[in-house]
């Protein structure tokens, strides 16, 4: 791990009640094993030519963080190398804000047969760079909400990468914001296409309640206060005010809450990180943003075999002379 002179580590604050809770315990081991198997098979569908060259000597490699970001994706990184018979020794816990200054931060050490380490290298880097990028942006948004002393929740959406949703949703939690529904089965959300096809909001909610029962929340996407009030009267649990500008959102949310105080009001559509604070208000409970999993910058990590006389930091070439 780099010295304090060369790096700064800012730990995610946690209260004492959370001390025994580990986000990685949310992830089903069978599910992640299946995901990892597909990823590894995609990256090496036939011969491992590079593995033939390096063989099966036991080696160690270092994971180096080269740009600022919140470390996330650890359970998936672990699972990739466990599948390959390697061990991972983390130098820094997940959720830490890494801020390299003069040199990269040694984040983890992977040990195992060298060809197995290299089989997992790119797949693991793809996970850790993307997950950490999502968590970093999520942390900034969580900090905005905390700074505004807002009571509600900033949330992701279902706008995720096919086959990568579990990693992305987990990264949102590491960053400190909500995931929203995980999939179509997690909550009943009736959007405009559902309403138009069903005929009207009242009928759509009635039909949804018949199959969802008491244990499944119903959310309705609304484009006006009138639609939101109809949804609330029909028995919806959450109304989403879609594409409302802040000046229209807050009076609409207040009117809905005055009539139906138990209803959760969500704002969604067109919200950016730099405008997030404008959508926070006393009558808005949720703000969801697609950019949480679509508009983030990845964190730069590298992965190098440790060898005497070799510099794993891989400095940039300044001149060929």
């Amino acid at each position: 791990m780099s010295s304090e002179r060369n790096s700064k580590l800012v730990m995610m604050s946690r209260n004492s009640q959370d001390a025994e809770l580990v986000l990685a315990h949310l992830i089903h081991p069978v599910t992640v094993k299946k995901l990892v198997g597909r990823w590894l098979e995609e990256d090496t569908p036939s011969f491992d030519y590079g593995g033939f060259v390096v063989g099966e000597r036991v080696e160690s490699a270092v994971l180096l963080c080269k740009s600022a970001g919140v470390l996330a994706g650890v359970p998936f990184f672990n699972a990739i190398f466990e599948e390959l018979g390697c061990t991972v020794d983390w130098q820094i816990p997940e959720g830490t804000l890494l801020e390299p200054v003069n040199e990269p931060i040694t984040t983890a050490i992977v040990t195992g047969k060298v060809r197995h380490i290299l089989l997992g290298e790119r797949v693991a880097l793809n996970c850790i760079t993307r997950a950490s990028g999502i968590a970093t942006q999520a942390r900034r948004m969580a900090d905005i909400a905390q700074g505004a002393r807002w009571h509600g929740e900033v949330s992701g959406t279902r706008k995720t990468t096919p086959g990568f949703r579990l990693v992305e949703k987990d990264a949102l939690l590491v960053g400190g914001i909500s995931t929203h529904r995980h999939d179509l089965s997690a909550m009943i959300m009736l959007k405009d296409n559902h309403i138009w096809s069903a005929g009207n909001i009242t009928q759509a909610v009635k039909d949804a309640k018949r199959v969802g029962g008491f244990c499944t929340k119903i959310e309705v996407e609304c484009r006006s206060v009138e639609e939101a009030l109809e949804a609330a009267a029909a028995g919806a649990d959450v109304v989403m005010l879609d594409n409302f500008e802040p000046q229209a959102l807050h009076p609409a949310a207040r009117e809905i809450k005055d009539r139906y105080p138990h209803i959760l009001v969500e704002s969604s559509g067109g919200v950016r990180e730099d405008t997030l604070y404008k959508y926070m208000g006393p009558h808005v409970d949720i703000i969801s943003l697609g950019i949480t999993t679509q508009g983030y910058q990845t964190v730069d990590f590298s992965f190098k075999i440790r060898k005497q006389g070799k510099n794993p930091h891989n400095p940039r070439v300044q001149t060929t002379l």
Side-chain angles (χ1 to χ4, degrees), residues 243-311:
N243 282 319
F244 276 59
E245 292 293 337
Q247 64 270 24
L249 168 68
H250 296 298
R254 182 178 62 247
E255 184 174 347
I256 295 163
K257 287 285 194 176
D258 285 346
R259 294 275 298 274
Y260 298 94
H262 67 285
I263 287 286
L264 293 175
V265 175
E266 176 179 344
S267 172
S268 189
V271 186
R272 304 189 310 271
E273 183 179 336
D274 63 322
T275 61
L276 177 60
Y277 72 96
K278 295 181 180 181
Y279 293 81
M280 296 174 179
H283 309 292
V284 177
D285 303 294
I286 306 149
I287 303 173
S288 57
L289 305 87
I291 60 169
T292 53
T293 49
Q294 288 188 325
Y296 62 92
Q297 182 175 348
T298 59
V299 176
D300 188 9
F301 285 91
S302 66
F303 188 87
K304 297 295 179 183
I305 297 291
R306 294 200 293 190
K307 279 293 183 182
Q308 186 75 24
K310 302 297 182 182
N311 184 358

Side-chain angles (χ1 to χ4, degrees), residues 6-49:
N6 291 322
S7 64
K8 179 172 65 173
L9 308 180
V10 183
M11 294 297 296
M12 176 176 64
S13 62
R14 302 182 69 185
N15 61 48
S16 59
Q17 291 179 333
D18 290 338
E20 300 302 319
L21 300 179
V22 179
L23 286 176
H25 295 169
L26 283 168
I27 300 167
H28 197 299
V30 173
T31 301
V32 74
K33 186 178 178 68
K34 289 179 180 177
L35 277 175
V36 164
R38 289 199 293 268
W39 296 337
L40 291 170
E41 185 177 7
E42 177 188 53
D43 204 41
T44 314
S46 57
F47 290 134
D48 176 20
Y49 297 108

